[in-house]
Amino acid sequence: MADRSLEGMALPLEVRARLAELELELSEGDITQKGYEKKRSKLIGAYLPQPPTANGAAVVRCRLQPGEGVPRRPFRSAHIGVCDIREAAARERAASAAGNRPLFYFRFGVDQALPQERRAPVTPSSASRYHRRRSSGSRDERYRSDVHTEAVQAALAKHKERKMAVPMPSKRRSLVVQTSMDAYTPPDTSSGSEDEGSVQGDSQGTPTSSQGSINMEHWISQAIHGSTTSTTSSSSTQSGGSGAAHRLADVMAQTHIENHSAPPDVTTYTSEHSIQVERPQGSTTSRTAPKYGNAELMETGDGVPVSSRVSAKIQQLVNTLKRPKRPPLREFFVDDFEELLEVQQPDPNQPKPEGAQMLATRGEQLGVVTNWPPSLEAALQRWGTISPKAPCLTTMDTNGKPLYILTYGKLWTRSMKVAYNILHKLGTKQEPMVRPGDRVALVFPNNDPAAFMVAFYGCLLAEVVPVPIEVPLTRKDAGSQQIGFLLGSCGVTVALTSDACHKGLPKSPTGEIPQFKGWPKLLWFVTESKHLSKPPRDWFPHIKDANNDTAYIEYKTCKDGSVLGVTVTRIALLTHCQALTQACGYTEAETIVNVLDFKKDVGLWHGILTSVMNMMHVISIPYSLMKVNPLSWIQKVCQYKAKVACVKSRDMHWALVAHRDQRDVNLSSLRMLIVADGANPWSISSCDAFLNVFQSKGLRQEVICPCASSPEALTVAIRRPTDDSNQPPGRGVLSMHGLTYGVIRVDSEEKLSVLTVQDVGLVMPGAIMCSVKPDGIPQLCRTDEIGELCVCAVATGTSYYGLSGMTKNTFEVFPMTSSGAPISEYPFIRTGLLGFVGPGGLVFVVGKMDGLMVVSGRRHNADDIVATALAVEPMKFVYRGRIAVFSVTVLHDERIVIVAEQRPDSTEEDSFQWMSRVLQAIDSIHQVGVYCLALVPANTLPKTPLGGIHLSETKQLFLEGSLHPCNVLMCPHTCVTNLPKPRQKQPEIGPASVMVGNLVSGKRIAQASGRDLGQIEDNDQARKVRTEFLFLSEVLQWRAQTTPDHLLYTLLNCRGTIANSLTCVQLHKRAEKIAVMLMERGHLQDGDHVALVYPPGIDLIAAFYGCLYAGCVPITVRPPHPQNIATTLPTVKMIVEVSRSACLMTTQLICKLLRSREAAAAVDVRTWPLILDTDDLPKKRPAQIYKPSNPDTLAYLDFSVSTTGMLAGVKMSHAATSAFCRSIKLQCELYPSREVAICLDPYCGLGFVLWCLCSVYSGHQSILIPPSELETNPALWLLAVSQYKVRDTFCSYSVMELCTKGLGSQTESLKARGLDLSRVRTCVVVAEERPRIALTQSFSKLFKDLGLHPRAVSTSFGCRVNLAICLQPHRLWTLAEQGTSGPDPTTVYVDMRALRHDRVRLVERGSPHSLPLMESGKILPGVRIIIANPETKGPLGDSHLGEIWVHSAHNASGYFTIYGDESLQSDHFNSRLSFGDTQTIWARTGYLGFLRRTELTDANGERHDALYVVGALDEAMELRGMRYHPIDIETSVIRAHKSVTECAVFTWTNLLVVVVELDGSEQEALDLVPLVTNVVLEEHYLIVGVVVVVDIGVIPINSRGEKQRMHLRDGFLADQLDPIYVAYNM
């Protein structure tokens, strides 16, 4: 904007004039900032003084280049004039001290508290001072008041002292680029007469003026001391997004005082007992591997990232949030699991109304003048016949030249012609289309008032009801659908329009006007005379006296976007014209200039209706002319010596901005300047500023007449024009704090948060006014209370067309006194305006009901919030007229949302800084937090037909996530104060009370067990295996002798053909050769550890048994991914080192890979142990096969990475391995004749046992399908199951997900290929987590058509201490057909809120906050389970949530630790209960769950105990004293928006971080931030700290399909995710 330094320059007048024009263009968005600066520098280049030397002032002005100097701290409010505010505040205090502080006060006469210039006589110097203020143009007078701007600056100054640092969001560069200049045209506000009501009012204001001329030195001193006059902050660094973020983070890193580096230990106990190493990256079956993962590069010893800019930002956020913003919540323990939301307690100090009950105010009597016409049509007839040559309406072209003069004679004859044609020329004589009383749409553009006027009066003469609406520009104009509904409900079938408008409407290829969305079918009728038939001489319209028939319907848009039609009767229409004539003192043949929209509201009432009653001459100024020449209306007032002008504050503001010292301006002819939006609280400053400038041009103070109106009550009040210039208008200076409670108070604090309002005059003649409480029964307010103004008069609307219920609530209100008696027998009408009647019957309006937002019981007005946002300097980052403020309901309260259009040339940093200052200003002045502030690219908000913002449509886009903002700042921490109380743990309870409690409540201890192994009858062969062979190596040798050619393993390739197979004898011989190799080439002793690094297949199995034959301990390790060596090889290396492997066996291919150049870049390849390549085996047999001396010796080590990133290896003894295989054999009924299909990774847990061990023990054939092959052929697994007629199959969740997503659309073609799953009786998902119900159900549903039985799918559950606790193969046939029968899996619904308090409460399906849980499978034979309290180790009752403890012969015997530190594991593997059965030794699973006895019975008649797994203890997050499971939050987030494909959550320093994968364009990324925040608040009562939006496939997933959340956390904190957007919620 203009620089203050111009003031001291001697610029020629024409240059100044051109500059002023440029500023206007910029303020309206007609040119870009860049274009403006270019043209401006061209204009003034020649007149600029040469810059002084290097140590002079010029240095101050140069900008810091990126990387130079220190970037500015965020949120420094630059240049704030403290002295100005103090003076103003002192003046205010003096003024209020002079009186004795009444409840509220009004200032008549000279206003002591206003800045000096307002009451100084306008001398030339002060005039030039005003001129300087205007030409600076840097502020928008429209939305400003001096007091308010000062208040905002002071509020920001306070914040500056606090030096609050807020982390700036990180944005990917592609997103930064998208907001570049070239991408957008500036917003177009060109169409229509610009109502801008959608911006929640046309607010105004004047800036404080700059004193004297400002030279360079003065500028510098101001910059140092701070001043409200400086508008550009010269030190701002010009740089794009991520660079700024880098530098910002650097600054933050330096400004840290305390660094919460170590994250809180959320792993309860596991981390102490497992080896805390870096979290390795599992290979993924279904995704591309993420772009990070080598944690060694980024962590210090304690697992904390070094110099990470992300954690610096989070730290900053944590520090910011530590500051007490709101009073801290009272903490106490909620004993019941009902989480009660904080109910906002009324503030004991809140102001309450103390005045007496108000009395209704009566306007003066409507004086009946003898020659007033009996109806408006009669008036038209009178003037049309008596004075046909008198001008009625002059229209202007875009150059301001008179385009057309409509005389009263022409108006009369043409209206008659229109009336005749409507009634007689539409339809047939027998069936006319339009009859008297029917509704007809009037569709006319804003530049053609003459055609509209003719059509409107034609309708009145024909006694049809005109419904004026806007021209629909496109088929999907914002809000035009709602207009269509209005037309439909009014039964409109004909639309009158002008020729030009008809030509401009969108047409179909056949030339027809298409039906607009939501519109009824219309006949378009052109009203130009040349298209109409002349009425016969004997035809004459029937002119009656005004009656109660409907005259016209005016449309009104509600807060929610719906459109209502307000019906106005003929008598109301006439009475309204009479009341306006009396109030305004209209006389015949006066000239009136009208800038307003003539189709509705004040423009229609004065410019079309009352003018005709009084034979006045209207000069109509179209909006398009105002855009070209904002002074046009003032010029027309001078040219026509007009007595009256109808304008909005906006028009006065534009005139001020464009005004140059034009000699010929003379406004002395004006006796009345009607300000149509004078009821807007912010119009006062426009009026003041306009008066200050134009007083010297003959404008008198008493001429300015603000009025208040509403569609329902028409004109509510208007200030009367007086001849007495000594009686100044009324002013009220009200406390903003008081207003939020609906109370009128003088502000006792330093006048920082005050609202100055002007009166809108007196009640209309013939009307009675009162104010009632806005909600509940219409009870009269007290004198010092704000209420909704209600009016009782003839001159008002009578109903909402066709809506009797809403009509009753608005048009038929009977105000009550406090005793409950109605004050009148006549109904009052609610105006929708909030205000009060002050002394002397003056009406004051402080806001609209539609703009009202009730936050925590306090009322805030959208207009006021807009004004505060616009008072924040500098304003160059957003477009002024393009701000929307609305509220959304989140967690049972309204939350304020601000959406603004951002200028395309503003940098990320600038915009962010402006946003944060807006938040601070609103917080200080209104004492309310803003929930969300969003900036959208220029010109993208939905518009009303008149160019304003369509508020309800904007809100709708925000809520459905289609707004596509380019910047978002969420502040849930400051706004949401009604969260439930944080929970405090109860004191520990002793054993006795728990036992008594259990006994008293009649509950049994929660324990269950599988079938007793001793009682199960084996067949002979099975008994032989169980009794004679203690070791798997012996079983294999026995099978090789007895059934040498029995097929044990079949490996399939991706085409579904057999890649390899093994019989008993082949496996035995291969294992012997490997044993020889280990002994001879490896020189290994028995007990040495051997790492087996093989792809899933036959080699792995042979190598495993080879190790057993040689007496070595095998460890299966997933091979590194050839495409991703850098992230997968370090994990291999680590397992090899941690397991202390003496040798590494692998294939020739992987052998080369381990020694490759790529491998050398990732790890130190020189430190590999001996590597043996088993593709080249010796031909010899071993002298003897090793037999262990003791079944308790180690058989193998099972290493896996937990989801929390812990690498833990457990020891499996020979006895446990054999017991495990027997348990699975019995549960799954496995015999040599069976075939089982396995699609699992064979490296750890149950997957490894099923792949390598079970076939050898039970003798069944295993069909092996490597999950990685499914990536190329998703149908491979199911086709194999169908082809081999398999009855039992095992898979992982990732395999199931791959099939569900990859084959969803192919079920028909698979059916055609003969895929048949009807033989499958069990499909078990192998997992170490809570069963994923949604996935198993969608899988069952999808493949039901291919014969899959819905009950076939079930889950298993295992963990580190016991690799399989539950395994549930369902039996689908009757007992007679098929051995034992297991019950169906049962699903229960639990209350999610109770779970957070570690309680289980069962609820009905579909009840709110219900969470479905499926049992995790039938408990394996020989396994006992108990549920224990993880803290006290006491047993819990049935249906209580606790840790699952397990006792079984196949428990692992402990963690394998490199230090041999046995104390770590004793707790996990050898725990005892603190009371009850204290002898049994249990293993702790680390999972929370509960047992529930179901109604189902087992085959042996016993009731079945179901185990429900809820989640891992070390995954659970402790927030606000409650326990949350990540999966629950993630499920909610995935449902929030269609573009979220996956989600993972974790905590960092008590902040909840949500990472979402976006499937969509990057422009949608920011839409997700509010939606994610909302859904987590609503469903989980948690505030999200950070929202990270990433690409698909970034969230790491292990081979079991589990999310590696801690791995993700490390990647995020080390800034390795390459996120699209990171939002830090305040």
Side-chain angles (χ1 to χ4, degrees), residues 357-362 768-772 778-780 790 792 813-828:
Q357 187 171 297
M358 75 163 295
L359 300 171
T361 309
R362 194 178 286 274
I768 301 172
M769 181 188 286
C770 66
S771 72
V772 300
Q779 193 179 347
L780 280 182
C790 291
C792 175
V813 177
F814 291 93
M816 311 273 188
T817 60
S818 50
S819 60
I823 61 168
S824 161
E825 57 189 297
Y826 298 108
F828 278 68

Side-chain angles (χ1 to χ4, degrees), residues 168-194:
M168 191 172 137
S170 315
K171 191 183 278 193
R172 189 178 282 174
R173 182 155 307 275
S174 57
L175 265 180
V176 178
V177 173
Q178 68 117 352
T179 56
S180 74
M181 294 270 319
D182 324 331
Y184 302 109
T185 53
D188 162 46
T189 47
S190 59
S191 59
S193 62
E194 185 55 23

Side-chain angles (χ1 to χ4, degrees), residues 104 106 352-354 358 734-745 755 757 770-775 779-789 833-838 844-849 852 859 861:
F104 57 86
F106 296 89
K352 295 190 172 58
E354 299 159 12
M358 75 163 295
L734 311 178
S735 148
M736 200 83 88
H737 179 70
L739 288 179
T740 61
Y741 291 105
V743 177
I744 303 162
R745 285 285 179 278
L755 184 63
V757 286
C770 66
S771 72
V772 300
K773 296 194 187 325
D775 24 48
Q779 193 179 347
L780 280 182
C781 291
R782 295 171 179 267
T783 49
D784 61 340
E785 193 174 6
I786 300 287
E788 183 175 7
L789 299 178
L833 300 175
L834 291 167
F836 59 94
V837 182
F844 290 84
V845 176
V846 296
K848 296 191 189 76
M849 286 293 285
L852 197 62
R859 305 191 289 205
N861 219 306

Side-chain angles (χ1 to χ4, degrees), residues 1338-1598:
S1338 55
F1339 178 81
S1340 304
K1341 200 182 280 180
L1342 189 61
F1343 296 107
K1344 193 174 95 187
D1345 294 347
L1346 299 176
L1348 182 68
H1349 195 287
R1351 293 210 305 261
V1353 180
S1354 68
T1355 61
S1356 73
F1357 171 64
C1359 61
R1360 292 286 71 205
V1361 297
N1362 186 315
L1363 303 180
I1365 295 168
C1366 303
L1367 189 59
Q1368 178 170 12
H1370 305 310
R1371 302 290 167 249
L1372 303 176
W1373 293 281
T1374 60
L1375 292 175
E1377 287 173 33
Q1378 186 64 55
T1380 62
S1381 168
D1384 296 337
T1386 54
T1387 300
V1388 295
Y1389 291 85
V1390 297
D1391 187 321
M1392 207 160 15
R1393 293 166 304 182
L1395 270 188
R1396 293 172 204 155
H1397 292 268
D1398 292 342
R1399 297 180 177 84
V1400 176
R1401 186 172 71 166
L1402 298 181
V1403 291
E1404 289 298 313
R1405 177 182 178 174
S1407 63
H1409 298 281
S1410 64
L1411 172 72
L1413 291 177
M1414 186 162 88
E1415 72 166 294
S1416 287
K1418 191 178 174 194
I1419 299 167
L1420 279 168
V1423 173
R1424 282 176 60 199
I1425 287 175
I1426 194 161
I1427 305 293
N1429 182 320
E1431 277 95 29
T1432 63
K1433 300 190 182 179
L1436 293 169
D1438 231 7
S1439 292
H1440 272 63
L1441 190 67
E1443 188 183 6
I1444 303 165
W1445 288 16
V1446 60
H1447 171 81
S1448 114
H1450 64 260
N1451 277 5
S1453 46
Y1455 285 125
F1456 174 78
T1457 59
I1458 29 179
Y1459 314 109
D1461 183 354
E1462 301 305 314
S1463 63
L1464 272 178
Q1465 64 186 23
S1466 59
D1467 182 34
H1468 267 195
F1469 292 88
N1470 306 305
S1471 282
R1472 295 172 194 263
L1473 290 171
S1474 54
F1475 57 90
D1477 169 14
T1478 53
Q1479 298 312 304
T1480 310
I1481 291 180
W1482 301 89
R1484 301 177 60 166
T1485 63
Y1487 281 82
L1488 289 172
F1490 61 95
L1491 278 167
R1492 180 167 174 269
R1493 177 152 281 191
T1494 61
E1495 297 305 313
L1496 299 162
T1497 52
D1498 282 336
N1500 54 6
E1502 284 189 10
R1503 287 174 73 192
H1504 162 66
D1505 287 305
L1507 172 68
Y1508 296 91
V1509 176
V1510 172
L1513 261 169
D1514 54 0
E1515 282 264 271
M1517 304 180 293
E1518 285 263 338
L1519 291 163
R1520 297 176 58 79
M1522 289 169 275
R1523 205 191 303 270
Y1524 287 87
H1525 296 278
I1527 185 68
D1528 297 327
I1529 298 174
E1530 289 159 1
T1531 307
S1532 298
V1533 170
I1534 288 171
R1535 280 202 317 264
H1537 192 272
K1538 62 180 186 303
S1539 301
V1540 179
T1541 53
E1542 190 52 273
C1543 165
V1545 303
F1546 52 83
T1547 54
W1548 175 254
T1549 54
N1550 284 333
L1551 281 182
L1552 178 63
V1553 181
V1554 177
V1555 180
V1556 291
E1557 288 185 0
L1558 170 72
D1559 177 17
S1561 73
E1562 291 185 351
Q1563 273 61 50
E1564 287 176 39
L1566 281 81
D1567 283 317
L1568 304 180
V1569 178
L1571 296 183
V1572 166
T1573 309
N1574 289 0
V1575 76
V1576 176
L1577 256 175
E1578 286 276 2
E1579 296 185 13
H1580 303 278
Y1581 305 157
L1582 285 178
I1583 292 176
V1584 177
V1586 185
V1587 180
V1588 187
V1589 184
V1590 295
D1591 296 308
I1592 292 181
V1594 168
I1595 295 173
I1597 287 193
N1598 66 14

Side-chain angles (χ1 to χ4, degrees), residues 1115-1171:
I1115 298 113
T1116 49
V1117 183
R1118 176 194 309 280
H1121 197 290
Q1123 270 81 51
N1124 201 0
I1125 287 188
T1127 51
T1128 52
L1129 190 62
T1131 309
V1132 177
K1133 186 88 162 63
M1134 186 174 310
I1135 296 177
V1136 169
E1137 284 172 1
V1138 170
S1139 63
R1140 288 192 306 212
S1141 297
C1143 164
L1144 189 152
M1145 279 208 291
T1146 185
T1147 62
Q1148 198 171 352
L1149 202 65
I1150 294 175
C1151 193
K1152 284 179 184 164
L1153 191 64
L1154 294 180
R1155 295 201 170 103
S1156 67
R1157 189 181 294 164
E1158 291 89 349
V1163 298
D1164 183 359
V1165 292
R1166 293 167 303 183
T1167 56
W1168 286 119
L1170 170 69
I1171 299 179

